[in-house]
Amino acid sequence: MDQLKCPRCKTSSYQKPNLKLLVNVCGHKLCGDCVEVVFIRASGPCPECGVVLRKNQFRLQQFDDSYIEKEVDIRKKILKDYNKTERDFPSLREYNDYLEEVETIIYNLANGVDVDQTRAKMDAYKKDNQTLIMKNRDRQLRVEKVLMNQIHQEVAERDYKNKEALEIEKRITIQKKREKDSIIDELIYSDRPASEVLASHAAVSGNTAGEESSETVATKKDALLPSHHALVGMTVFDPLPMSQGKVYSYQPLLLSTWGPGVPELEEMESFGYLSNMRCLEEHHIGSGFVPAYACQRALQDAFSCLLLKPQDI
Amino acid sequence: MYHSSTQKRDWLFKDQQSINVKREAANRAFCSAHEASAQEKGVQLLTPVEEDIVVQYYLKKLVEFCSLFNPPSWAPLPKTALVTAVTYYKRLYTQCSVMEFHPKDMFLCCVFLAFKVDEYNLSLEQFVNMLAPHLIQSTSEYIISHELLLLKKLQFQLTVHSPFRPMSGFILDMKTRAPQLPNPDMFRKVADSFLVQSLGSDVAFLYPPSQIGLAALWHSAKQTHNRVDGYILSVLLNSEGSDTIDTIMDLLQKIEDLVFSVKLPDGAMLAPVEAKLQQCSIQALTIATTTTKRKRQSEDNLSVGGSDGKKHRSDQEPSPWSLEID
C-alpha cells in the first residue's frame, strides 16, 4: 500500500509511522501538525481549496474515498433538518418525491452545483417545517434512548454472567485443592489402609460435584431471562406460531420405460453379455471405462420404449 | 434416455396425419403473411405438396453430402451425426416454410450444427473448405447468420436418439440370449443401409428408435433368408401378453412398409417447383430487385470436393441408398 502523504508538509507515513490525516468539511486532508500550524487562530483557509474552515471541524477519516467522506458529512448535516418519515406523507408518491428532493440537495452541495440556490431552498424549508422538524427530532431521541438502554442492559448482563462463571471456576479449583490436601493429610496421619482412604474420598467428591453442577445450572437460567425494566417502552412480540406441516417421507421416483427391463451393471457378466463385447484397449481400461457400461447403454437404448403402442403416444 | 426425452415428448406423433397438419399449418402461416406482396408482384406461393417435393429433394442432397464428407486427416463421419442432421432438417421444415428458408443453404447449417452436437467437431473454416470454392464465402456467412435462428426453431432440443445403438443392442442381446441362431453380425450392413433409407420417410416421427432398430434387424434378416422372429418372440418379448406381441410385430411390418414406400424426387420433378420457388422466396418478395443475389443453380453447386471431375454425380443421379456405409 502506498504511504500516506500530507499535502502541505509532505510528511509521509514512512517517515512518521503514526501519521494521521484529519479531514474537514471541504474534503481535503491535513496531518496533525499542519492542523496546529494553519489553525493557530481557530479558523483559517484550507491550503488546497481556500474555503474558510474551523479547527474543531477536523475529523479522522472514516472512508477511504475523500469524496464519499465529504458527501456523508453533508448528508448527516442535511438529514438533521430533513428528517421527515413515511408517516408524515399522505401517499407513497409524495414520500418518494421528498426523498428525491433530499438527494438532489445533497448532490448539489457535494458537487458544488447551484450551491446558493440549494441553500436558499434549505432555509425556506426549515422555516416552513419548524414544528415538524422539532417533533421528529424528539421522536428520534426517544427511540435512541430506548435502544441505548437495551444495549447497556445487555452489556451489564454479559459482564455479570462472565463474573459468575469466573467465580464458579475459582470455587471449583479451591475445592479440588482442598480435596487433594485432605487426602494427603489422611494418608499421612491416619492409620487406615490407603485404599480405604481413597475410596471414602471418592464417594465424597462425587456428591459435591453433583451439588455444584446443579448450582451452575440455576445461575445460568436466571441470567438468561431479560430483567423487567428493559422491556418498558418496548412492544414485546409473541413467538411466531411454527407451522408443522407434513413430515417429508421419501417416495422413490417411478419412471416408465415402456419396454422390457434391463439387467443391472453387476448382472452383465453373469448373463454372458460381456463375452460378446469388443475387447478393450489399454487406454480405455486405464481411464476407468468398463465394457459393462457400453453393454448396459446399448441394452437400455434397445429396450427403451420398445413396447410403446401408437395409442399411448 | 429416450423414454424421458424431449424427442418422445414433443416429436413423436400419433399418425402421419398429425405431421401433415403441422406442415400445412406452416405453409399457411407463411402464405397469409405474404399474400399481399405476392399478389403485388404477381407471383404464386407454393402449395404444401410442392414444398414437400423441395424438402425431400434437398433431404436427399443432405444424405449425399454427408456420405461424401471426408475431410483429410480427420475421423470418418459417424452415422449418428447424419441422423441428427436429418432430424434437425425435418423438424425445421415442419415448422417453417421453404419459402422462408431455402433448404439449399439451410441443410448445410443443419449439418454443421449436427456435427457440433454429435462431437464430430469441425471449425467453420474446415467445414466450408470441403465445399466447392465459389460457395465457401456465401455458405460461411449464411451459417453464421442462421445458426442461432435454427437453434431457436429447434427450441434448443438438440439431443437426438438415433436407431443405431438400439440395433447394436439387439444384436448383442441376440448373441447372448439366443446363441443358437446364426451370427447376427452379418445383418449389420443391410440393417445400416435400411436405417439410412428410413431417413427419407417420417418413421422417426412416428415410432421410437428402438422399434425402428428392431425393424431394421428384422428386415435385414429376411433379406438374407434368415428369420429372427424366433428371437423376438421367445426371448425378447417372452414376458409380454400375446396382444402386445401382435402389436409389435404389426409395428415392425408397418415400419418396413413405410420406409420402402417413400420415393424421393429427382431433378426433373424439382425443376418446375424450383423455378416457382425462385420467385416466391422471401427474399424475392421483400426485395424490389435481385441484382445483388447470385443466380442459384440447383444441381451444379453441390459438387463436394471442389473439382469439376465430380460432375457425373449430379448427372446420373445414382441411388444414394447404395452407398457404402460402414
Side-chain angles (χ1 to χ4, degrees):
Chain A
M1 209 180 93
D2 278 350
Q3 312 295 331
L4 302 167
K5 244 170 86 151
C6 169
R8 194 173 162 273
C9 64
K10 315 283 186 220
T11 323
S12 75
S13 55
Y14 180 75
Q15 291 167 322
K16 185 177 166 198
N18 54 351
L19 180 85
K20 262 190 319 207
L21 289 176
L22 303 164
V23 74
N24 209 316
V25 288
C26 62
H28 296 127
K29 307 185 202 160
L30 280 178
C31 78
D33 297 334
C34 288
V35 167
E36 296 292 318
V37 168
V38 174
F39 294 91
I40 277 182
R41 303 177 194 185
S43 69
C46 167
E48 283 146 66
C49 60
V51 168
V52 173
L53 303 168
R54 288 199 289 248
K55 185 172 169 193
N56 56 9
Q57 285 173 328
F58 273 97
R59 278 188 343 270
L60 227 82
Q61 193 170 14
Q62 222 182 340
F63 300 99
D64 284 336
D65 189 348
S66 54
Y67 174 72
I68 294 181
E69 181 82 45
K70 185 165 130 194
E71 214 235 356
V72 168
D73 205 23
I74 292 173
R75 188 180 288 271
K76 277 208 212 118
K77 274 217 227 69
I78 288 178
L79 287 180
K80 273 205 206 107
D81 291 327
Y82 283 82
N83 57 1
K84 290 197 200 166
T85 55
E86 194 173 343
R87 60 166 98 179
D88 292 327
F89 291 92
S91 78
L92 183 64
R93 185 65 202 264
E94 295 181 34
Y95 180 52
N96 286 335
D97 288 342
Y98 164 78
L99 289 176
E100 263 192 62
E101 211 189 294
V102 173
E103 289 300 323
T104 319
I105 291 176
I106 295 174
Y107 180 84
N108 286 348
L109 289 178
N111 294 315
V113 171
D114 290 338
V115 182
D116 303 318
Q117 260 180 336
T118 319
R119 287 208 187 276
K121 231 196 311 186
M122 280 174 65
D123 289 333
Y125 173 86
K126 245 202 296 207
K127 244 192 289 188
D128 291 334
N129 298 290
Q130 193 68 353
T131 45
L132 200 55
I133 291 174
M134 303 300 320
K135 206 172 74 166
N136 282 339
R137 278 209 194 131
D138 287 335
R139 193 168 359 113
Q140 265 177 336
L141 280 172
R142 254 185 290 136
V143 170
E144 274 175 31
K145 228 172 35 177
V146 171
L147 286 174
M148 285 308 293
N149 272 343
Q150 222 190 337
I151 290 174
H152 284 317
Q153 182 68 25
E154 281 176 9
V155 169
E157 280 187 16
R158 212 185 332 130
D159 290 340
Y160 178 73
K161 266 196 290 183
N162 284 346
K163 251 192 354 201
E164 283 283 313
L166 281 172
E167 284 287 308
I168 290 170
E169 286 284 323
K170 250 196 329 202
R171 258 188 283 154
I172 290 177
T173 43
I174 291 174
Q175 185 85 350
K176 285 220 175 90
K177 203 167 160 301
R178 256 192 282 146
E179 277 278 318
K180 268 222 297 260
D181 288 341
S182 68
I183 289 178
I184 292 174
D185 285 338
E186 271 222 45
L187 285 172
I188 295 175
Y189 295 119
S190 81
D191 293 329
R192 287 151 73 198
S195 48
E196 226 185 276
V197 170
L198 287 173
S200 65
H201 274 274
V204 170
S205 67
N207 287 341
T208 48
E211 278 172 25
E212 271 169 19
S213 56
S214 58
E215 248 182 57
T216 49
V217 166
T219 46
K220 276 196 185 135
K221 262 205 166 145
D222 290 335
L224 282 173
L225 290 172
S227 77
H228 180 67
H229 55 266
L231 295 177
V232 168
M234 248 179 64
T235 44
V236 182
F237 296 99
D238 290 325
L240 290 171
M242 288 261 288
S243 54
Q244 278 298 319
K246 217 163 68 99
V247 174
Y248 171 74
S249 69
Y250 172 67
Q251 305 287 350
L253 177 67
L254 297 167
L255 199 59
S256 179
T257 65
W258 289 280
V262 182
E264 298 292 322
L265 266 180
E266 297 76 28
E267 296 169 330
M268 286 288 151
E269 178 78 54
S270 56
F271 280 19
Y273 286 107
L274 297 186
S275 47
N276 294 321
M277 293 292 293
R278 212 172 47 191
C279 273
L280 286 185
E281 298 159 47
E282 264 184 15
H283 56 263
H284 291 141
I285 302 174
S287 62
F289 184 78
V290 177
Y293 294 146
C295 195
Q296 194 189 38
R297 192 169 178 201
L299 288 177
Q300 272 176 343
D301 270 355
F303 293 168
S304 162
C305 286
L306 183 60
L307 305 172
L308 184 69
K309 301 178 198 159
Q311 57 260 34
D312 297 332
I313 297 173
Chain B
M1 291 281 89
Y2 179 73
H3 47 261
S4 54
S5 67
T6 48
Q7 188 174 338
K8 175 173 177 295
R9 194 185 72 196
D10 295 338
W11 290 104
L12 191 65
F13 298 93
K14 227 177 161 65
D15 48 27
Q16 183 72 45
Q17 189 57 24
S18 333
I19 312 177
N20 292 342
V21 163
K22 259 192 111 147
R23 289 185 176 135
E24 281 162 25
N27 175 272
R28 245 198 322 267
F30 184 89
C31 288
S32 52
H34 293 87
E35 198 73 66
S37 54
Q39 280 196 342
E40 203 183 290
K41 296 199 168 47
V43 297
Q44 270 200 319
L45 299 169
L46 293 183
T47 64
V49 173
E50 291 169 334
E51 282 206 23
D52 206 43
I53 295 176
V54 180
V55 170
Q56 292 290 84
Y57 179 79
Y58 283 105
L59 177 60
K60 195 165 76 164
K61 281 276 173 267
L62 199 169
V63 179
E64 274 177 15
F65 177 83
C66 288
S67 64
L68 297 172
F69 194 89
N70 218 337
S73 67
W74 208 259
L77 187 72
K79 292 185 285 295
T80 49
L82 172 62
V83 174
T84 311
V86 171
T87 313
Y88 290 166
Y89 178 85
K90 291 173 88 159
R91 285 185 190 177
L92 175 69
Y93 285 111
T94 40
Q95 300 174 77
C96 307
S97 161
V98 296
M99 297 180 271
E100 203 179 337
F101 302 111
H102 199 300
K104 175 191 176 53
D105 307 303
M106 200 37 121
F107 87 78
L108 287 170
C109 196
C110 291
V111 170
F112 183 65
L113 184 62
F115 284 179
K116 283 203 274 195
V117 169
D118 264 302
E119 298 183 6
Y120 185 66
N121 201 327
L122 288 179
S123 72
L124 185 60
E125 226 183 279
Q126 286 170 312
F127 183 78
V128 296
N129 281 339
M130 296 297 294
L131 302 173
H134 62 276
L135 280 179
I136 291 180
Q137 184 59 24
S138 63
T139 310
S140 84
E141 279 168 8
Y142 190 90
I143 291 181
I144 291 172
S145 52
H146 286 79
E147 195 177 10
L148 278 181
L149 200 67
L150 174 63
L151 278 172
K152 190 179 166 198
K153 289 288 176 194
L154 294 174
Q155 296 182 60
F156 290 85
Q157 292 167 344
L158 299 175
T159 306
V160 170
H161 296 266
S162 70
F164 288 98
R165 204 184 285 117
M167 190 195 68
S168 293
F170 286 124
I171 291 180
L172 175 67
D173 197 38
M174 232 194 317
K175 279 200 265 194
T176 313
R177 290 205 277 173
Q180 67 276 18
L181 293 175
N183 189 6
D185 281 329
M186 63 174 131
F187 303 145
R188 234 184 250 270
K189 214 154 175 181
V190 180
D192 278 354
S193 66
F194 176 90
L195 288 175
V196 175
Q197 184 160 8
S198 75
L199 295 172
S201 64
D202 282 336
V203 277
F205 282 155
L206 296 168
Y207 302 100
S210 55
Q211 288 176 352
I212 303 175
L214 187 59
L217 205 56
W218 186 64
H219 163 81
S220 159
K222 280 202 294 188
Q223 293 291 82
T224 55
H225 308 290
N226 286 306
R227 310 280 310 188
V228 291
D229 294 35
Y231 157 71
I232 297 176
L233 296 169
S234 55
V235 179
L236 190 57
L237 303 177
N238 201 6
S239 44
E240 305 301 325
S242 63
D243 55 336
T244 317
I245 295 179
D246 290 336
T247 324
I248 302 299
M249 296 310 291
D250 200 35
L251 274 175
L252 297 184
Q253 185 61 53
K254 279 211 188 88
I255 294 174
E256 196 184 0
D257 293 337
L258 185 52
V259 168
F260 287 113
S261 65
V262 171
K263 233 181 117 29
L264 291 178
D266 55 12
M269 283 180 70
L270 179 74
V273 185
E274 182 76 45
K276 200 173 166 195
L277 179 57
Q278 293 288 42
Q279 297 191 312
C280 66
S281 75
I282 195 166
Q283 286 92 342
L285 289 176
T286 51
I287 301 175
T289 56
T290 53
T291 48
T292 49
K293 295 276 175 230
R294 268 187 244 237
K295 267 186 90 170
R296 298 179 199 268
Q297 305 288 331
S298 55
E299 306 267 346
D300 307 334
N301 289 345
L302 282 169
S303 54
V304 176
S307 70
D308 273 335
K310 301 258 192 226
K311 261 272 167 92
H312 69 277
R313 272 212 188 271
S314 39
D315 287 342
Q316 265 181 16
E317 300 276 5
S319 159
W321 313 126
S322 64
L323 294 162
E324 291 293 340
I325 298 172
D326 185 38

